[in-house]
Amino acid sequence: MKWASPFKLKSKGILGMNARNFSYVLSKNKRELYPLVDDKMETKRIALLEGLSVPDLICCLKYNHQLKELHTVLKDHQEFVLKPAKGCAGKGILVITGRNEKGFIKASGSIVTFTEFNRHVASILTGMYSLGGTPDTAMFEKLVHFTDTFNGYTYQGVPDIRVIIYRGYPVMAMTRLSTKISDGKANLHQGAVGVGLDIVTGKAIQAVQFNKLVTKHPDTGQSFEGLEIPDWDVVLKLSAQSFDITGLGYLGADIVLDKARGPLILELNARPGLSIQIANGHGLEKRLLYIDSVHKKRRNIDEKLALVKEKFVDLK
């Protein structure tokens, strides 16, 4: 393992975990606002109230006795996503792409039997995957069919785009691409690939898996060179609106690109991780400090995006 000099990290504007927690998460995010993003059902509710696009909800379960009716509700759905409403780091999520006589077929192609599926739902309700281990809600959403842009860039899963929003300004972005190891989930902790994105253009900068640089997708062999996110301005604007609906000063907005519906808010995070800096090859700190220096002037979202595009071309 190689250790980097603190001076070198500082010169690149790398934001450390303690600085993130103290200067941004704790100081910019009021505690009473956390439930708006820690509970994905609540996030969906407030997004819909403001007319923002989110994946369609099939149903949700809060109690074990509701399991009896679940399979009746799901019988018309060959594919869906099961997730804990208060889960984190992708834990507890099942991406279902089909079914047979034995059970449901996961994105990886493996089978989860109906008994195992029921047991998994029950585990979610007990809070096995929730923040703090509190009782949780099991959410069932329609599976997003991603835009053709990502063909060859992901393995049996839906890629998403993480955008860091600070004081309502988008400051850094990456796309997360599922792999065979990540079991169809776009979560870096579970082996997905993170591709840093130019915040101005939406074009790929570099890619990492398990914090190591990669140039091609490990399963498809597709080179990341030339990857460019479509509807980039729409993605940035939708991400920035997450500040307006939550009031959180520092957060991560996860966006998916549905082939039919366009950009959708998948979920929001009040404690976004720092690996986005590795994917981009530079740190967050200089951009956060710049926003601190200009945020007092009132700007609408379009003016905020224009400022970011003008100032962040060379600010790394």
Side-chain angles (χ1 to χ4, degrees):
M1 176 183 293
K2 293 183 178 179
W3 294 91
S5 159
F7 300 104
K8 186 176 181 180
L9 293 176
K10 184 69 175 177
S11 68
K12 292 181 72 68
I14 300 297
L15 185 70
M17 186 62 75
N18 289 338
R20 182 205 70 162
N21 291 342
F22 180 76
S23 301
Y24 299 99
V25 173
L26 295 177
S27 67
K28 303 301 186 298
N29 295 343
K30 293 180 179 178
R31 190 75 178 174
E32 63 267 26
L33 299 177
Y34 280 36
L36 296 178
V37 296
D38 286 348
D39 186 333
K40 297 176 182 60
M41 287 293 295
E42 187 65 8
T43 303
K44 192 182 290 289
R45 185 187 68 79
I46 61 173
L48 289 172
L49 278 177
E50 294 300 322
L52 305 185
S53 301
V54 296
D56 291 329
L57 182 70
I58 298 172
C59 66
C60 64
L61 264 66
K62 290 186 176 181
Y63 308 105
N64 275 298
H65 69 81
Q66 295 175 309
L67 271 168
K68 296 177 183 177
E69 302 172 5
L70 176 62
H71 290 273
T72 301
V73 175
L74 295 179
K75 68 180 177 59
D76 294 327
H77 297 275
Q78 286 294 314
E79 51 187 26
F80 57 86
V81 178
L82 163 62
K83 61 176 66 172
K86 299 176 185 174
C88 65
K91 296 176 182 176
I93 295 176
L94 285 183
V95 181
I96 302 299
T97 57
R99 72 172 75 196
N100 60 23
E101 68 283 358
K102 295 180 180 177
F104 292 108
I105 303 171
K106 297 198 295 182
S108 62
S110 61
I111 303 292
V112 53
T113 68
F114 295 120
T115 300
E116 292 170 337
F117 182 82
N118 288 346
R119 191 179 301 133
H120 187 81
V121 174
S123 296
I124 289 176
L125 299 181
T126 62
M128 177 175 286
Y129 306 105
S130 73
L131 289 165
T134 56
D136 203 353
T137 298
M139 298 174 60
F140 298 83
E141 290 181 334
K142 290 185 178 179
L143 184 63
V144 171
H145 290 275
F146 59 82
T147 174
D148 293 341
T149 299
F150 289 107
N151 288 343
Y153 288 114
T154 187
Y155 182 84
Q156 296 181 338
V158 179
D160 72 4
I161 301 162
R162 161 65 61 86
V163 184
I164 301 295
I165 304 297
Y166 183 54
R167 298 188 188 275
Y169 294 79
V171 294
M172 191 168 284
M174 67 173 168
T175 182
R176 301 181 295 189
L177 308 172
S178 58
T179 65
K180 188 174 184 179
I181 295 176
S182 73
D183 199 21
K185 303 167 191 170
N187 191 283
L188 301 191
H189 298 290
Q190 300 190 29
V193 173
V195 182
L197 299 172
D198 186 326
I199 196 71
V200 177
T201 64
K203 295 180 179 179
I205 301 172
Q206 63 176 27
V208 295
Q209 184 184 33
F210 295 121
N211 294 332
K212 294 184 178 179
L213 289 174
V214 293
T215 58
K216 300 178 181 178
H217 192 283
D219 302 309
T220 69
Q222 179 78 32
S223 170
F224 296 117
E225 187 177 1
L227 175 61
E228 181 176 356
I229 306 300
D231 299 322
W232 185 239
D233 286 353
V234 180
V235 170
L236 291 182
K237 189 168 185 175
L238 186 61
S239 304
Q241 286 174 297
S242 62
F243 168 75
D244 297 327
I245 64 172
T246 64
L248 292 167
Y250 179 80
L251 77 160
D254 295 343
I255 308 295
V256 290
L257 301 182
D258 185 83
K259 182 181 294 187
R261 300 181 60 199
L264 310 173
I265 292 179
L266 185 65
E267 60 183 71
L268 304 175
N269 193 319
R271 316 165 192 78
L274 296 172
S275 55
I276 193 171
Q277 300 177 111
I278 301 173
N280 275 264
H282 58 87
L284 275 162
E285 190 173 45
K286 292 179 182 177
R287 293 183 177 184
L288 299 177
L289 293 175
Y290 175 76
I291 296 301
D292 280 337
S293 70
V294 300
H295 84 281
K296 290 184 178 178
K297 180 178 179 180
R298 293 180 65 87
R299 296 180 175 87
N300 61 36
I301 287 182
D302 290 332
E303 291 169 335
K304 290 177 179 177
L305 299 188
L307 183 68
V308 165
K309 290 198 167 194
E310 177 188 351
K311 298 297 183 181
F312 285 2
V313 172
D314 299 315
L315 187 59
K316 298 179 178 178

